[in-house]
Amino acid sequence: NIKDLIMGCTLHDIGKIGVPDSVLNKPNRLNEAEYEKMISHTELGLRIIEGIDLFKPAIPYINCHHERFDGKGYPKRLKGEKIPIQGRLLAVVDTFDAILSNRPYRAGASLKHAISEIAANQGTQFDPKMVEALFDVIKLGKIDIDALYHYQQEIPGISELNPTEKERA
């Protein structure tokens, strides 16, 4: 349901309110202790919303958006379709948004770069079905990239949205 999707996408990083700004905005690689603080945001998020019935639909988004399709994610190292669909969906779109968005420590990348990164991690980090769904939405013009990211870029052609295995290598 679209209301649950909106809620989950809105609340998925709520646990970051418990992560120090020095970690969230660090311009270079996190050390081990900082990384542990950062990845704790999923569990912190669950603690924040637990017991609030209204927010229960957000749980799989909060808890699973850093799981990886290959099982190397966190917090539970779920693999493939054992990851709730909400987590598999949000993993792709959250990464897409992160690549395109300006951050305190770097400028947002191009749409072509974002598509290339997502495609390169299809089947490892991301569920291939979710990647294809994102690419389909882009191809159909259902996302106004210019309005969301405030820049003008040409939408790549079909071949760039569906790179061959050779192009991904």
Side-chain angles (χ1 to χ4, degrees), residues 7 21 38 63 70-71 89 102 117:
M7 179 190 306
D21 285 346
M38 180 63 86
N63 197 36
D70 62 8
L89 170 68
N102 290 325
E117 280 293 309

Side-chain angles (χ1 to χ4, degrees), residues 70-81:
D70 62 8
K72 296 178 181 176
Y74 66 87
K76 297 181 180 177
R77 293 191 170 277
L78 299 175
K79 184 176 184 177
E81 293 191 7

Side-chain angles (χ1 to χ4, degrees), residues 69-94:
F69 201 68
D70 62 8
K72 296 178 181 176
Y74 66 87
K76 297 181 180 177
R77 293 191 170 277
L78 299 175
K79 184 176 184 177
E81 293 191 7
K82 292 196 189 277
I83 304 166
I85 194 167
Q86 299 94 326
R88 289 182 277 140
L89 170 68
L90 188 56
V92 173
V93 297
D94 190 39

Side-chain angles (χ1 to χ4, degrees), residues 123-144:
T124 54
Q125 184 174 355
F126 307 118
D127 178 341
K129 292 177 187 172
M130 296 299 124
V131 171
E132 292 306 318
L134 173 65
F135 290 171
D136 287 346
V137 168
I138 294 168
K139 284 187 271 189
L140 292 170
K142 300 292 184 182
I143 301 174
D144 188 343

Side-chain angles (χ1 to χ4, degrees), residues 4-143:
D4 293 350
L5 173 68
I6 292 168
M7 179 190 306
C9 291
T10 302
L11 295 176
H12 78 278
D13 275 340
I14 193 168
K16 286 186 177 179
I17 65 173
V19 177
D21 285 346
S22 61
V23 172
L24 290 172
N25 298 321
K26 188 172 179 182
N28 45 16
R29 193 168 179 87
L30 301 176
N31 65 37
E32 192 174 324
E34 292 165 333
Y35 179 74
E36 290 301 319
K37 285 180 186 172
M38 180 63 86
I39 68 170
S40 74
H41 82 276
T42 57
E43 291 160 348
L44 290 169
L46 288 176
R47 283 191 291 213
I48 290 167
I49 70 157
E50 71 185 351
I52 304 171
D53 288 340
L54 174 68
F55 295 149
K56 285 202 187 306
I59 289 173
Y61 295 93
I62 293 169
N63 197 36
C64 297
H65 71 283
H66 286 291
E67 296 290 356
R68 290 175 46 115
F69 201 68
D70 62 8
K72 296 178 181 176
Y74 66 87
K76 297 181 180 177
R77 293 191 170 277
L78 299 175
K79 184 176 184 177
E81 293 191 7
K82 292 196 189 277
I83 304 166
I85 194 167
Q86 299 94 326
R88 289 182 277 140
L89 170 68
L90 188 56
V92 173
V93 297
D94 190 39
T95 301
F96 182 74
D97 175 65
I99 294 168
L100 291 174
S101 297
N102 290 325
R103 299 290 194 221
Y105 47 88
R106 63 151 178 82
S110 69
L111 178 59
K112 185 175 181 177
H113 177 77
I115 289 169
S116 176
E117 280 293 309
I118 297 294
N121 289 288
Q122 183 172 293
T124 54
Q125 184 174 355
F126 307 118
D127 178 341
K129 292 177 187 172
M130 296 299 124
V131 171
E132 292 306 318
L134 173 65
F135 290 171
D136 287 346
V137 168
I138 294 168
K139 284 187 271 189
L140 292 170
K142 300 292 184 182
I143 301 174

